[in-house]
Amino acid sequence: MSTNVLLVDDSPTVRNILKIYLMNLKVSIVEAEDAQRALQLLRLVPVSVVIADINMPVMDGITFVKEVRASAQAQVKKVPVILLTAEKGTDLRQRGSEAGANAFIQKPVSHDELTKTVRQFLNGG
């Protein structure tokens, strides 16, 4: 199985930065511009890790994580989800953790933090 990383962010710029940062991990990138599309892709494509923004139109990242965790498909339900946030508050992280997020990365995203966090999940936690 190839290693797919799903990037979910409404900003093409952010998705491009994440793609550049992840190049050295030799993973395939799957992109979604919103959480609805990401949920569709998760049902169709095997994904090793999801990196999702918290602040997105239509469905936010926390609701997205809840949807993923409620999936009837085992491989979707257990996929690690890393949430990106520009907000500093702990409340958002707590809500994300309660929803089932596996990790959080503060925006602006640092290359080292992103690759270190993603690598943890690619190597089985």
Side-chain angles (χ1 to χ4, degrees):
M1 180 174 103
S2 68
T3 304
N4 292 320
V5 175
L6 174 58
L7 304 180
V8 190
D9 198 304
D10 54 309
S11 164
T13 305
V14 171
R15 291 197 312 268
N16 283 332
I17 290 167
L18 295 174
K19 279 196 293 199
I20 291 165
Y21 284 0
L22 294 171
M23 279 168 44
N24 64 340
L25 295 181
K26 311 242 183 310
V27 295
S28 299
I29 302 296
V30 182
E31 293 183 63
E33 63 283 345
D34 61 52
Q36 293 291 99
R37 178 77 182 124
L39 289 169
Q40 291 172 338
L41 286 168
L42 279 172
R43 288 192 282 272
L44 301 170
V45 180
V47 170
S48 301
V49 179
V50 177
I51 302 170
D53 191 17
I54 286 184
N55 296 312
M56 293 183 287
V58 186
M59 183 189 302
D60 66 31
I62 291 171
T63 306
F64 168 72
V65 173
K66 288 178 183 172
E67 292 285 323
V68 169
R69 296 298 173 237
S71 173
Q73 289 179 271
Q75 79 272 17
V76 173
K77 191 180 222 165
K78 64 179 177 45
V79 69
V81 179
I82 301 167
L83 288 178
L84 304 177
T85 181
E87 296 181 33
K88 300 259 192 272
T90 55
D91 172 56
L92 206 55
R93 285 177 184 240
Q94 184 177 343
R95 286 180 26 231
S97 292
E98 288 167 2
N102 298 85
F104 297 87
I105 295 180
Q106 190 72 38
K107 283 181 173 179
V109 176
S110 92
H111 177 266
D112 289 344
E113 186 182 9
L114 181 70
T115 52
K116 192 173 94 183
T117 304
V118 170
R119 198 174 271 135
Q120 283 178 328
F121 295 109
L122 294 180
N123 297 333

